[in-house]
Amino acid sequence: MSQILFVLTGAQHWTLADGTRHPTGFWADEAVAPYEAFKAAGHQVTVATPGGVVPSVDQASLSADANGGQEAADRVAAGLDAFVELGQPLSIEDVRIDSGGGPAGYDAVFYPGGHGPMEDLATDSDSGTLLVRTLASGRPLGVVCHGPAALLAAHTQQGASAVYGYRLTAFTNAEEHETGLATKAKWLLQDRLVESGAHFEEGRPWEPHVVVDRNLVTGQNPASAGPVATEIIKMLG
């Protein structure tokens, strides 16, 4: 049995270029599908957020349209209700680092998305430090959809991006355009990750796409969350 740390956004909105607050949070199935996979494999999950706030789900992620039908939406909602650890989060800053250089007591770290990470985790230094240490420790790190926004806050002691030279993926510019939010955003995630020196690998919009480079496992979109969890389970053995 392994211990897996889920790091979720604490944001309830995403500030757009004109100052408008777009309601958001974490994307439900990007948390539920991996959670169910990890629990089914016998692993334990702990949740952490900035400041230890109880994370908010993006209500749009619970709709029938977002889940391919009402039956699937009901399944996600039920899975969210079963994810009891969401109500008892740690503060990211309280996650200790052990002698191996990684997060103490955890064998893997997982970041789901939703637009929330664009608001808070993209500039959260505690999360950035956790990501740097996890990458350096060799422990599996899974990051999905807009979750890779958190990687923008991860820098080495020399000031370089911690994912410079890494192959990875995330929610693409094309997908953001299809949401209708690309022209309203202050910045786009794919652009920022490319600027950080990462080698961005883009799959077809909305189809599962996972990139594995060393201990970093990234997924492009909500459909990629379950496959990312599968890769982490393989790494954990």
Side-chain angles (χ1 to χ4, degrees), residues 11-227:
Q12 297 181 354
H13 70 268
W14 175 34
T15 306
L16 303 179
D18 65 357
T20 301
R21 291 187 169 190
H22 177 73
T24 188
F26 69 90
W27 198 259
D29 203 34
E30 292 175 21
V32 169
Y35 175 79
E36 291 177 341
F38 293 141
K39 296 293 280 190
H43 303 312
Q44 297 298 312
V45 168
T46 299
V47 170
T49 64
V53 301
V54 175
S56 297
V57 64
D58 188 323
Q59 292 300 312
S61 70
L62 298 174
S63 70
D65 287 345
N67 292 285
Q70 190 58 52
E71 183 177 349
D74 291 344
R75 179 193 62 79
V76 171
L80 200 60
D81 288 340
F83 195 161
V84 295
E85 294 88 348
L86 289 170
Q88 304 165 337
L90 302 174
S91 175
I92 297 172
E93 65 184 5
D94 291 335
V95 178
R96 297 179 294 105
I97 303 301
D98 62 23
S99 59
Y106 301 103
D107 304 291
V109 177
F110 182 84
Y111 279 66
H115 281 106
M118 303 277 279
E119 183 72 21
D120 58 358
L121 296 178
T123 57
D124 189 292
S125 59
D126 293 314
S127 171
T129 298
L130 173 63
L131 288 164
V132 170
R133 298 296 180 85
T134 303
L135 284 169
S137 73
R139 297 173 201 179
L141 171 62
V143 198
V144 174
C145 199
H146 288 91
L151 296 170
L152 301 175
H155 297 91
T156 66
Q157 291 183 342
Q158 292 73 36
S161 169
V163 291
Y164 181 88
Y166 274 79
R167 295 168 45 248
L168 52 71
T169 192
F171 202 68
T172 64
N173 290 354
E175 288 166 320
E176 202 70 86
H177 276 284
E178 291 191 24
T179 70
L181 291 168
T183 59
K184 301 177 182 180
K186 293 180 180 179
W187 48 271
L188 298 179
L189 181 54
Q190 179 176 349
D191 292 343
R192 285 289 179 90
L193 289 169
V194 170
E195 291 168 5
S196 74
H199 300 301
F200 194 96
E201 298 187 5
E202 181 174 354
R204 292 180 181 273
W206 310 111
E207 293 185 8
H209 179 59
V210 175
V211 176
V212 181
D213 187 348
R214 287 158 275 187
N215 59 321
L216 177 63
V217 185
T218 49
Q220 180 173 312
N221 46 35
S224 307

